[in-house]
Amino acid sequence: MTQSTSATGSGRTPGKMSRRGGKSSGPEPYDFRRPTKLSREHIRTLQIAYETFARQYATLLTTSLRAVSQVSLISIEQLTYDEYISGLSSPTIVAMFSIDPLPGTAILEFSLSTAMACIDHMLGGPGGPQPQRPLSDIETPLLHGLIERTLGELRYAFEGIVALRPEMTTIEYNPQFAQAGATSDAVIVASFEMRVGTEECVASICLPFGSIFPKLQGEQGSAVLTEAQRLAREAAYRNVVAGLEGAPIEVAVRFQPVRMHPADLVGLRPGDVVPLAHTTSTPLAVTTADITFAYAVPGAQGNRLACLVVPSPQPGQRPTHRPAGHAAGQLGQNRAEETRR
């Protein structure tokens, strides 16, 4: 693979392939905003997929435009979405597309002059210098069709990683208007040297890091563990479970909420009575972290308030009311039985 020393036809300078030439004896910088980074194996997996895409894309352009076209991979980088967008020139073609079944939006970007050259060749023109203007109503469907066929080649190239179903959503000319993610979101950017006839540019594909990274981890997750690794993983699992089981948590017993107007809340005074919507036949909800995990009826145990856990009411079933005295008696009976045992 050849490295390009300059970005032709684009305001963004492509970075080098994310590979380390050797171990450094000094400290290495650590970016806490991006704690997870692509490893050498991940880069190699993506490199194979993108090189396949580059070959297929070049063949597609040559056969569709009837003009000699070349596409070659330059670099694979992990950036933030803001770093990627701020490095693009304007105007340019920013084609956003979905990557089902993965979440998020991806971007295929290349220069506007290259897009105009592609349309010129599709209409039988010779190519050459192109005007810098938005596409017309006639040119837009032609470019849409070409991009959709390009996404088909991307789907083929990524079959070994994930079965993508890319579908184009919209095209923007100003990168700042492309809302494909938050500014701090991590993305994987692949840069390509793209040549259509005499027109050259640096094209790029931007994929959301959080969507594609788990698929890159798939091979590592299925690796066969040694006996020592398996025992260490089981011991770590037991320690985590033991720690969680002994952790104290806040538990609350709640009535059903009631709606009130702000004016009524402001006017509340000591001694006022607020009627609750909770019927006497409905048990109270036992919750923690706003999650209901049981139901109970109120009661008392000695001089303390208590509650008796009851079966969860089934949908459509009318809960059976248990009075407070019955609950208190049941609690005392349970304690007596525990004492005898």
Side-chain angles (χ1 to χ4, degrees), residues 294-312:
Y295 293 88
V297 293
Q301 185 176 18
N303 59 352
R304 290 187 176 185
L305 294 177
C307 65
L308 177 67
V309 177
V310 297
S312 302

Side-chain angles (χ1 to χ4, degrees), residues 122-146:
M122 280 190 286
L123 297 177
Q130 301 296 324
Q132 291 291 319
R133 59 169 176 79
L135 302 179
S136 65
D137 294 339
I138 298 178
E139 296 166 341
T140 300
L142 295 176
L143 184 62
H144 277 219
L146 181 61

Side-chain angles (χ1 to χ4, degrees), residues 15-310:
K16 295 182 179 179
M17 193 71 68
S18 300
R19 289 171 175 255
R20 297 180 181 178
K23 295 183 179 180
S24 175
S25 58
E28 297 181 0
Y30 183 83
D31 190 349
F32 287 92
R33 297 173 301 176
R34 282 175 274 179
T36 304
K37 291 186 177 181
L38 293 174
S39 66
R40 182 177 302 177
E41 291 75 15
H42 299 156
I43 292 292
R44 179 57 183 166
T45 302
L46 289 173
Q47 180 182 345
I48 294 173
Y50 280 127
E51 285 179 344
T52 302
F53 168 74
R55 291 192 300 268
Q56 296 294 116
Y57 191 19
T59 303
L60 172 66
L61 293 175
T62 301
T63 56
S64 300
L65 309 180
R66 293 178 175 85
V68 178
S69 303
Q70 295 179 355
V71 180
S72 58
L73 179 64
I74 299 175
S75 65
I76 299 175
E77 303 171 282
Q78 179 183 341
L79 306 172
T80 64
Y81 183 71
D82 182 63
E83 290 172 344
Y84 170 67
I85 289 297
S86 61
L88 300 179
S89 59
S90 181
T92 187
I93 297 295
V94 180
M96 294 183 287
F97 59 94
S98 61
I99 51 174
D100 293 337
L102 302 182
T105 302
I107 290 177
L108 170 63
E109 180 270 335
F110 52 96
S111 68
L112 181 58
S113 58
T114 303
M116 298 295 291
C118 292
I119 295 173
D120 190 17
H121 285 294
M122 280 190 286
L123 297 177
Q130 301 296 324
Q132 291 291 319
R133 59 169 176 79
L135 302 179
S136 65
D137 294 339
I138 298 178
E139 296 166 341
T140 300
L142 295 176
L143 184 62
H144 277 219
L146 181 61
I147 293 177
E148 288 174 357
R149 283 178 285 172
T150 303
L151 297 182
E153 303 300 340
L154 183 66
R155 178 178 63 250
Y156 170 78
F158 270 76
E159 284 182 349
I161 301 176
V162 58
L164 293 178
R165 297 190 301 272
E167 184 176 350
M168 195 183 69
T169 56
T170 184
I171 291 180
E172 295 288 349
Y173 300 103
N174 189 338
Q176 301 300 326
F177 294 157
Q179 301 297 325
T183 57
S184 59
D185 288 350
V187 295
I188 301 175
V189 179
S191 300
F192 302 86
E193 184 178 1
M194 181 177 176
R195 178 179 302 173
V196 178
T198 58
E199 193 69 34
E200 298 180 6
C201 75
V202 172
S204 63
I205 294 179
C206 172
L207 296 178
F209 180 88
S211 299
I212 198 66
F213 185 72
K215 299 301 179 181
L216 298 175
Q217 291 282 83
E219 296 182 357
Q220 296 182 2
S222 60
V224 178
L225 299 178
T226 63
E227 185 65 18
Q229 291 174 333
R230 186 183 62 81
L231 294 177
R233 180 171 294 187
E234 292 177 355
Y237 173 78
R238 289 193 299 267
N239 292 337
V240 171
V241 171
L244 291 177
E245 289 179 347
I249 58 175
E250 296 277 345
V251 178
V253 181
R254 297 181 178 178
F255 291 91
Q256 291 181 358
V258 61
R259 289 181 175 273
M260 297 183 65
H261 296 290
D264 298 333
L265 291 175
V266 174
L268 285 178
R269 296 293 183 271
D272 292 347
V273 177
V274 178
L276 302 179
H278 198 108
T279 60
T280 57
S281 61
T282 302
L284 307 181
V286 184
T287 65
T288 181
D290 291 329
I291 299 175
T292 301
F293 64 91
Y295 293 88
V297 293
Q301 185 176 18
N303 59 352
R304 290 187 176 185
L305 294 177
C307 65
L308 177 67
V309 177
V310 297

